[in-house]
Amino acid sequence: MNQQRLKEMLDQVAKGVLSPEQAETALKDLAFESIDYAHIDHHRSLRKGFPEVIFGQGKTAEQIIGIMQAMAKNEEIILITRMDRQKADQVRAIFQEAEYDEAARILLLKTREPQIRSKGEILVITAGTSDIPVAKEAMITAKAMGNRVNSIFDVGVAGIHRLFAHGRQIQAASVLVVVAGMEGALPSVVAGMVRAPVIAVPTSVGYGTSFGGMTALLGMLNSCSSNVAVVNIDNGFGAGFMAATINQMPDKGE
Amino acid sequence: MNQQRLKEMLDQVAKGVLSPEQAETALKDLAFESIDYAHIDHHRSLRKGFPEVIFGQGKTAEQIIGIMQAMAKNEEIILITRMDRQKADQVRAIFQEAEYDEAARILLLKTREPQIRSKGEILVITAGTSDIPVAKEAMITAKAMGNRVNSIFDVGVAGIHRLFAHGRQIQAASVLVVVAGMEGALPSVVAGMVRAPVIAVPTSVGYGTSFGGMTALLGMLNSCSSNVAVVNIDNGFGAGFMAATINQMPDKGE
Amino acid sequence: MNQQRLKEMLDQVAKGVLSPEQAETALKDLAFESIDYAHIDHHRSLRKGFPEVIFGQGKTAEQIIGIMQAMAKNEEIILITRMDRQKADQVRAIFQEAEYDEAARILLLKTREPQIRSKGEILVITAGTSDIPVAKEAMITAKAMGNRVNSIFDVGVAGIHRLFAHGRQIQAASVLVVVAGMEGALPSVVAGMVRAPVIAVPTSVGYGTSFGGMTALLGMLNSCSSNVAVVNIDNGFGAGFMAATINQMPDKGE
Amino acid sequence: MNQQRLKEMLDQVAKGVLSPEQAETALKDLAFESIDYAHIDHHRSLRKGFPEVIFGQGKTAEQIIGIMQAMAKNEEIILITRMDRQKADQVRAIFQEAEYDEAARILLLKTREPQIRSKGEILVITAGTSDIPVAKEAMITAKAMGNRVNSIFDVGVAGIHRLFAHGRQIQAASVLVVVAGMEGALPSVVAGMVRAPVIAVPTSVGYGTSFGGMTALLGMLNSCSSNVAVVNIDNGFGAGFMAATINQMPDKGE
Amino acid sequence: MNQQRLKEMLDQVAKGVLSPEQAETALKDLAFESIDYAHIDHHRSLRKGFPEVIFGQGKTAEQIIGIMQAMAKNEEIILITRMDRQKADQVRAIFQEAEYDEAARILLLKTREPQIRSKGEILVITAGTSDIPVAKEAMITAKAMGNRVNSIFDVGVAGIHRLFAHGRQIQAASVLVVVAGMEGALPSVVAGMVRAPVIAVPTSVGYGTSFGGMTALLGMLNSCSSNVAVVNIDNGFGAGFMAATINQMPDKGE
Amino acid sequence: MNQQRLKEMLDQVAKGVLSPEQAETALKDLAFESIDYAHIDHHRSLRKGFPEVIFGQGKTAEQIIGIMQAMAKNEEIILITRMDRQKADQVRAIFQEAEYDEAARILLLKTREPQIRSKGEILVITAGTSDIPVAKEAMITAKAMGNRVNSIFDVGVAGIHRLFAHGRQIQAASVLVVVAGMEGALPSVVAGMVRAPVIAVPTSVGYGTSFGGMTALLGMLNSCSSNVAVVNIDNGFGAGFMAATINQMPDKGE
Amino acid sequence: MNQQRLKEMLDQVAKGVLSPEQAETALKDLAFESIDYAHIDHHRSLRKGFPEVIFGQGKTAEQIIGIMQAMAKNEEIILITRMDRQKADQVRAIFQEAEYDEAARILLLKTREPQIRSKGEILVITAGTSDIPVAKEAMITAKAMGNRVNSIFDVGVAGIHRLFAHGRQIQAASVLVVVAGMEGALPSVVAGMVRAPVIAVPTSVGYGTSFGGMTALLGMLNSCSSNVAVVNIDNGFGAGFMAATINQMPDKGE
Amino acid sequence: MNQQRLKEMLDQVAKGVLSPEQAETALKDLAFESIDYAHIDHHRSLRKGFPEVIFGQGKTAEQIIGIMQAMAKNEEIILITRMDRQKADQVRAIFQEAEYDEAARILLLKTREPQIRSKGEILVITAGTSDIPVAKEAMITAKAMGNRVNSIFDVGVAGIHRLFAHGRQIQAASVLVVVAGMEGALPSVVAGMVRAPVIAVPTSVGYGTSFGGMTALLGMLNSCSSNVAVVNIDNGFGAGFMAATINQMPDKGE
């Protein structure tokens, strides 16, 4: 239930279209709804501007379907992350209109296209081709939340002229998400070029002492550029969410 | 050299007040200036909206003074972080108008007060009293960059009613900086209450398995709230800088 | 062999129903029994109030069956933890009445229902749906030991009103087991609400820097609430056992 | 403010000794009191049965004094942990009746002796002589909370007959706190001997791969005995608090 | 080639049974023999009293067969460690008399039984049933090197009377190998009981913070008993080899 | 596009064989070429003397084929590392002349044999047989770059006479690549014997505390010999590349 | 109390020189003696052949003196390890005949010279000069226990001919203690040269990634030589004790 | 003793200027010289082209002086690293002509200036001002070994135009040493610009998750540029030595 639907319902009560009793019934599950294995936070849309996102990993397909059914009554968009193909197929047997992106491991169920709610553009940049799945998780998330999103892939620091060739687009972005594995140096370089905030996403791309992305993460936390903050390894979803949160801040003026 | 001073100089050339040769001399060090032990990035004010910040740790007082002297020709504000008292005293023997905050370990030299450049307010929250020095580093940084900054101290999760008592102020903030040591749980709880972006700062407060802040950092990176991004341990400066960067984004509309 | 059966046997000797020689034969294996690959601690029921629990991981099905056969002579209840389905099926081919919970990976063989041996209730709380299997391991263990056990699932700190809605039940619990992965913040918040002891169980739910539960564990060890103690990652069994131990302490008065 | 004083005050209102207005004034700071650098949780005595404990590390003597002054209005006992001698001396210049234990680094201010509130006894055991300071922190804490506390020092596993010589006392204890550094093996052995709950406290005693107590901690988390839960390294305070919490549970019957 | 065969050959030359040229041919590969992928150290039997042992992991079956063929010309016994069943089957298709122990993952090829070369007995003790495979690797190794070897399995510290029941056998052993996972406490307890040297072997038995045996290893390195030294995790082979080396030292007298 | 082909093209323009427009077309993709998922750095041959090498891990076969097709227009040699057999087979269905080395996991596509571009010889040494795959990755890389390469396998420090027997060849090498797992001691010993630079490559050969090669890496970084530098674990490619870079330095004289 | 004194006392009783009552008084403290802060294990001399050794670190000088006074009644030799000079001076004010070695940080109190109790010789070898203090701790310990001890210092692998020049002495040793920091490679090389057991001692000599000796320790645990076992970092005492234990094994024959 | 002095001496014998007996005396210590606490490797100059370098840390001033006295008989240059000022002063009381650089912590004793032995130039680059001490250690080492050395300081990636402004000098260098702390990204960027080999040196500059240089080290080991190899944290000496080794390779041609 988002802010708009709440307002509509209250208007309907004011106009006598909906009786107070009917409204009460509709609203009573607003805070949360408890099913056997989950407490669904229906209030989140109101509080945070976007419904609860389902973390697919570690849940059975049955549990995911149950949660989706409870949410679908109230929400226009449902996002499930970290879904492998097998579970996604089981869920889509029930929710046939859900879209699945296998690289991003995201399942998306929506009843209408998200509206763009910001003038600014989020730009997602990757150091390598192997970082693209994480970038896509960020892009799908931010788009689902109503943002303009663009991307530049494979412009790592070993051939840094590739990055600088996109200088104008980089400087025009409202928020940047920079995705890199291995030594994770790209966010420092990008952040040094721009005034905008940079969300750095370490990926588990690499081997040996990349330690599943820990090296990239540590590099990003120690960035010598200051307009950088970091999210968990391979957390494209979190980066996209945080970038959207920033991009959609109410006007503050300068 | 910031954008305004550049514009003024070019206006003076246009009006004939300044000869092109004089302007050229003034501008030739714009990109950077090399002294024996440093390449001072005079271009940074233009590029990033704030001059280069001096990392005090590992530099001698002499080196810091030298860098400040080179910067003072062009900049209205100079910030030096991670200064211990002894070095600060040596520097203030030369720059007597510099202000030193011992808790925050920041030295600030400014020729005029920074102008507020955003309508929004940055709110800095700490879990405990021992986290205040890091919070102050963030607050001084963000204020120096021209932001309204407010604070709530010592509202950790062991007595969570203290936090909720400030609910209205928390929900009104434009950007939040949440500072916590030990288990680092506070950013997750705060981020669950608001729609605004939260910058989480782990501190080295704790002992044993707090591992100098590593535990708090890991907790924050794994936050189950999604509008959170993280900076390095005890990096109050970086958090303040990032929050300012977000708070001062040009209007994007919703 | 538990305390009650020992007493019965001694009574029978006193009454002449059992000859001293027969009793001696029955008791000689009391300390422990050695089979090829195991020293079965038959004395444990007497010493600790519950028979030895079999750690299923790393043992062959044949070894587990052998140990169960040795124990079944003396014990009313046998618990095997960390059993995968394949081994459980092999064991149940022999012990057909054994019950297997696949989520909890526990196999339970009992000749009669455990008696409730405490007035207090153990309450098991999880942060997320994915933490439920570990919670179930705790619940089955504590029930098998003769405790009342209840549960609240999926009330993590990102939507903390879900937790507070259960405030009365939480405050009424005798002992709490709080199960969480990711940042592991829930035990601190719960412990801040109650006077009762809290056993915190980190789970391996998460990815990247959750480090297989290490982050949750570290967070719990650094809890700013003091009525918390911690067990190993994913150690639902240990948490259930410890909670039962506390719940069943002989009356101490206040 | 503890439960008894609250009841007295309400009785006085009922009897007309205290006007509702006077009571209101007295109660208005009950939830918490905000001073510049701290939110003092006056509600904690009611909620948890013991007032907020001040974590001395990282606070200035001035801050500690300020917090103590705010608390002293309501509480009969104030405990400050992790106090070095220098700060303790500064505080005792103001609170001259405060008692300081240098080994335990605890400062204790009390207006009357704590009443014993449980029949059971807490037994604190150490593996070595070097572990005694941590044991003392646990003992002082548990005594301050109203428990009978006893101790056995220096009975580590290298000469295990020393431990078994105390078997009767160990088996009689209501709750055990077992303190050990180095390999941290003692809690497993003790827990194997008793039915009571064991709180294991790793200490930083050792060198090289003891890793400041990490090795002892890991050993305790992996105990093959199940009636064990663990607190942070050198956290004698937490162990004493948890043991007291368990020892003072309301009667549950068996 | 061992010391005895070298002596026989030189005797044969002295007696004219073997021509110097024939002996030279036989001896020329004594130092080592180079095949495509290996430098086989034929000198090792002479230098160390036992031929080179083949580390099976990471080698193809073809490479192992090639090395065995080169060694079989000179050695009476060939030991290959860390062999999975599949590779073992491939090798036994060529060397049909080789014996394979799947638990210990050892393949053994011998032309005659090893002679007992010491009066003392090596005693291998495990904490649990799951540690037996590592114990067997030690036992097979030490037997192959000509030692009397005995074992006691599953006598961990949670039921320590099981260990003490074997006190006489334990005190009689010449060298002890103590194998334990989880907290790895058993070697400290055993070493406290005896005067003989103890080789401690951590195993990867456990889960969560057992960190694949790291916890047991750290515990053993920090043993409060001093007659303990440690080998790598799951290194039953190394423990057996070291114990044999100690057990077979030439007489030194006391 | 390498330096030679660039020169030929410019000569052709100078001679009128090629029109400036034709040359421009040929050169316009020189800096890089952007396809959907990659920015191919065509400039790298000119800048670094060898074309971009494709990191096969984490890329789909389709992506690899696409990148190869873009590169094949300009380059005589294309190297893809970290290719498993399945992907290699998919790629060779398109590029049938590509050579695949399964041990080294390298796919190599070349239109003519690389020319030897240095008098010196690179010598690759391994400690064990299990280290050979990493050694082969280094050898194939260095050969593809135009170097003479030789090897000595399985001469680890447990039988150090095997190493010294190759002393002359070792001292004659221009650059040495020393590959070792387990304790990683070999590079120190080799570097102590020679004046030439040694590139040390840790491998993941080992178990338990070898930590996937971390132990070998740490050993090499702490070498008491000073003519040693280190690359990532199992990074045979990087070692071969670095050795080639050193071996092919322009003459500097002594 | 060692075995000899026990026998003498029993002889005196047999001869009537000592009354049974006097003997009983003398023997009653045999098991252990409890003083306020310690349980002194008087039985250890009998059980292990050497009295309890006092771990000086973390104990006050007063505690050490108290323990020494309790031990001095029964023992001919008392060893205290990890004593800094300040504490040693305080102790020697009481026990003036005690000898202190500042490098080894050992304090030794003996009433007569230890008798040599083995024909074999323990040889202590160091990789560098900086490793000598740890070597001395081993040497003093082994000498105090009645062993012949010799040493070779500063023969690390960077100039390995220095080691081989001592080949004869190395091969003649009964037990070897090899002490090394940095990469810790020396034990592998030495163990490859001999048939005798090698006790490897990692030291904290080094910087950066030597991690206070962790790198050397890991290297030694992963030794490709099999007659090696390892003790804790900087644990010269433990290595000397273990070497003495091995060197003084009763004859076992070959 | 270097190659030139050996040749001179043999010439003198050939000419009869020196008797064979005199030469023998002079040469007998060539292999090494044993003093109480060190084995001085006099052969190293011949073998490696530069005498043994003394690691100052962990040695007493007396030991360093003793080693210098033994070396001074044969060598023209003696280098001691990791010397603090206090020890340096003690040494210079004896060797008054020794030069000490406090930033680099190097003491240098030379009887004549080192001759330049290569045409190429080594270029040392730092990311920040705080990295200069490590850079100086590299520069002094390489100069002492007879190399041309130049430097560029403080050109980190946050203002990358500072680096590119030195592009020509960077591309002209024969070998590059790149020194960086924090995220350690600079070597990747520099290596991407050049064909020459890059030695990367991580420094301990930073705080929090810089982990004393570990983060920079890991970043460098995972560099996406391939002409990079790495040395230990803060190991300026090793980097300078390795760069010199590469720069002074005999001509190999291209």
Side-chain angles (χ1 to χ4, degrees), chain D residues 127-133 154 182 205, chain G residues 37-38 52-65 67 80-84 87 90-91:
Chain D
T129 299
S130 305
D131 301 313
I132 293 177
D154 189 32
M182 294 176 169
V205 170
Chain G
Y37 42 81
E52 191 174 0
V53 172
I54 306 172
F55 179 66
Q57 178 184 310
K59 293 195 179 67
T60 63
E62 289 69 30
Q63 290 173 330
I64 293 169
I65 290 165
I67 296 170
I80 306 107
T81 63
R82 303 212 154 232
M83 290 287 279
D84 58 43
K87 269 192 222 167
Q90 288 176 268
V91 172

Side-chain angles (χ1 to χ4, degrees), chain C residues 112-139:
Chain C
R112 63 170 194 178
E113 280 306 304
Q115 281 179 281
I116 298 298
R117 291 188 293 156
S118 167
K119 282 179 291 182
E121 179 185 285
I122 295 172
L123 180 61
V124 178
I125 304 176
T126 76
T129 298
S130 306
D131 301 314
I132 293 177
V134 175
K136 286 212 167 143
E137 196 188 20
M139 293 168 73

Side-chain angles (χ1 to χ4, degrees), chain D residues 21-153:
Chain D
E21 290 69 26
Q22 287 170 316
E24 191 189 335
T25 301
L27 289 173
K28 81 177 172 203
D29 278 341
L30 184 68
F32 62 85
E33 179 183 351
S34 177
I35 59 179
D36 181 27
Y37 42 81
H39 276 76
I40 296 149
D41 183 0
H42 292 317
H43 185 258
R44 196 164 299 183
S45 300
L46 274 177
R47 200 165 76 244
K48 312 257 305 204
F50 196 73
E52 190 173 359
V53 172
I54 306 173
F55 179 65
Q57 177 184 311
K59 293 195 180 68
T60 63
E62 290 69 30
Q63 290 173 330
I64 292 169
I65 290 165
I67 296 170
M68 289 175 76
Q69 286 168 332
M71 289 181 70
K73 295 171 297 187
N74 297 305
E75 307 293 354
E76 292 171 347
I77 194 155
I78 302 175
L79 198 73
I80 306 107
T81 63
R82 303 213 153 232
M83 290 287 281
D84 58 44
R85 167 159 289 285
Q86 192 186 344
K87 268 191 223 168
D89 288 346
Q90 288 175 268
V91 171
R92 286 194 295 177
I94 307 297
F95 293 96
Q96 288 160 20
E97 68 283 23
E99 299 161 19
Y100 180 61
D101 186 300
E102 187 163 9
R105 288 180 300 163
I106 279 190
L107 193 81
L108 189 65
L109 180 72
K110 58 183 184 229
T111 56
R112 61 169 196 181
E113 281 305 305
Q115 281 179 279
I116 298 298
R117 291 188 294 157
S118 168
K119 282 179 289 183
E121 180 185 284
I122 295 172
L123 180 63
V124 178
I125 303 176
T126 76
T129 299
S130 305
D131 301 313
I132 293 177
V134 175
K136 287 214 167 141
E137 197 188 21
M139 294 168 73
I140 294 172
T141 300
K143 280 178 189 162
M145 293 173 72
N147 293 274
R148 272 187 202 83
V149 182
N150 224 321
S151 65
I152 307 173
F153 294 150

Side-chain angles (χ1 to χ4, degrees), chain F:
Chain F
M1 171 159 307
N2 58 23
Q3 221 155 350
Q4 192 183 344
R5 283 196 51 196
L6 177 62
K7 192 168 171 301
E8 285 169 13
M9 192 186 295
L10 296 178
D11 284 350
Q12 289 178 317
V13 174
K15 290 175 184 160
V17 178
L18 205 72
S19 75
E21 289 70 26
Q22 288 169 315
E24 191 188 333
T25 302
L27 288 172
K28 80 178 172 201
D29 278 341
L30 183 68
F32 62 85
E33 178 182 352
S34 176
I35 59 180
D36 180 26
Y37 41 80
H39 276 78
I40 296 149
D41 184 0
H42 291 317
H43 185 258
R44 197 164 296 185
S45 299
L46 274 176
R47 200 166 75 246
K48 312 258 303 204
F50 195 75
E52 192 173 0
V53 172
I54 306 172
F55 178 67
Q57 179 184 312
K59 293 195 180 67
T60 62
E62 289 69 30
Q63 290 173 330
I64 293 169
I65 290 165
I67 296 170
M68 289 175 75
Q69 285 167 332
M71 289 181 71
K73 296 172 297 188
N74 297 305
E75 308 293 354
E76 292 170 348
I77 194 156
I78 301 174
L79 198 71
I80 306 107
T81 62
R82 304 212 153 234
M83 290 287 280
D84 57 42
R85 167 159 289 285
Q86 191 185 347
K87 268 191 223 167
D89 288 346
Q90 288 175 269
V91 171
R92 286 194 294 178
I94 308 296
F95 292 96
Q96 289 160 18
E97 67 283 24
E99 299 160 20
Y100 180 60
D101 185 300
E102 187 163 9
R105 289 181 299 164
I106 281 190
L107 192 81
L108 189 66
L109 179 72
K110 57 183 186 229
T111 57
R112 62 171 195 178
E113 281 306 304
Q115 281 179 281
I116 298 299
R117 289 187 295 155
S118 168
K119 283 179 288 180
E121 179 185 285
I122 296 172
L123 181 62
V124 178
I125 304 176
T126 76
T129 299
S130 305
D131 301 313
I132 294 177
V134 175
K136 286 214 167 140
E137 196 188 22
M139 293 168 73
I140 294 172
T141 300
K143 279 179 189 162
M145 293 174 74
N147 293 271
R148 272 187 202 83
V149 181
N150 223 320
S151 65
I152 307 173
F153 294 150
D154 189 32
V155 289
V157 300
I160 209 165
H161 61 294
R162 299 177 297 186
L163 179 70
F164 295 143
H166 295 277
R168 194 173 303 268
Q169 184 181 11
I170 289 170
Q171 267 141 8
S174 181
V175 188
L176 296 107
V177 173
V178 184
V179 184
M182 294 175 169
E183 80 267 63
L186 191 59
S188 286
V189 175
V190 170
M193 297 165 67
V194 300
R195 184 183 288 216
V198 171
I199 306 302
V201 193
T203 71
S204 52
V205 170
Y207 59 91
T209 55
S210 82
F211 291 130
M214 193 61 190
T215 291
L217 170 68
L218 290 172
M220 292 169 184
L221 285 168
N222 286 277
S223 175
C224 52
S225 300
S226 305
N227 46 336
V228 175
V230 186
V231 297
N232 196 1
I233 297 165
D234 288 338
N235 188 5
F237 160 67
F241 195 103
M242 182 69 172
T245 300
I246 294 171
N247 195 39
Q248 294 173 337
M249 287 167 62
D251 288 359
K252 292 287 150 58
E254 183 158 6

Side-chain angles (χ1 to χ4, degrees), chain H residues 25 41 53 57 67 92 103-104 115-116 138 183 189:
Chain H
T25 303
D41 183 1
V53 172
Q57 178 184 310
I67 296 171
R92 285 195 295 178
Q115 280 179 280
I116 298 298
E183 81 266 61
V189 176

Side-chain angles (χ1 to χ4, degrees), chain A residues 164 183 188 209-210 219 222 224, chain H residues 164 183 188 209-210 219 222-224:
Chain A
F164 294 143
E183 81 266 62
S188 286
T209 55
S210 83
N222 286 276
C224 52
Chain H
F164 295 143
E183 81 266 61
S188 286
T209 54
S210 83
N222 286 277
S223 175
C224 52

Side-chain angles (χ1 to χ4, degrees), chain H residues 177-221:
Chain H
V177 173
V178 184
V179 183
M182 294 176 169
E183 81 266 61
L186 192 58
S188 286
V189 176
V190 171
M193 297 165 67
V194 301
R195 184 183 287 216
V198 172
I199 307 302
V201 192
T203 71
S204 53
V205 169
Y207 59 91
T209 54
S210 83
F211 292 129
M214 192 62 190
T215 291
L217 169 67
L218 290 173
M220 293 169 183
L221 284 168

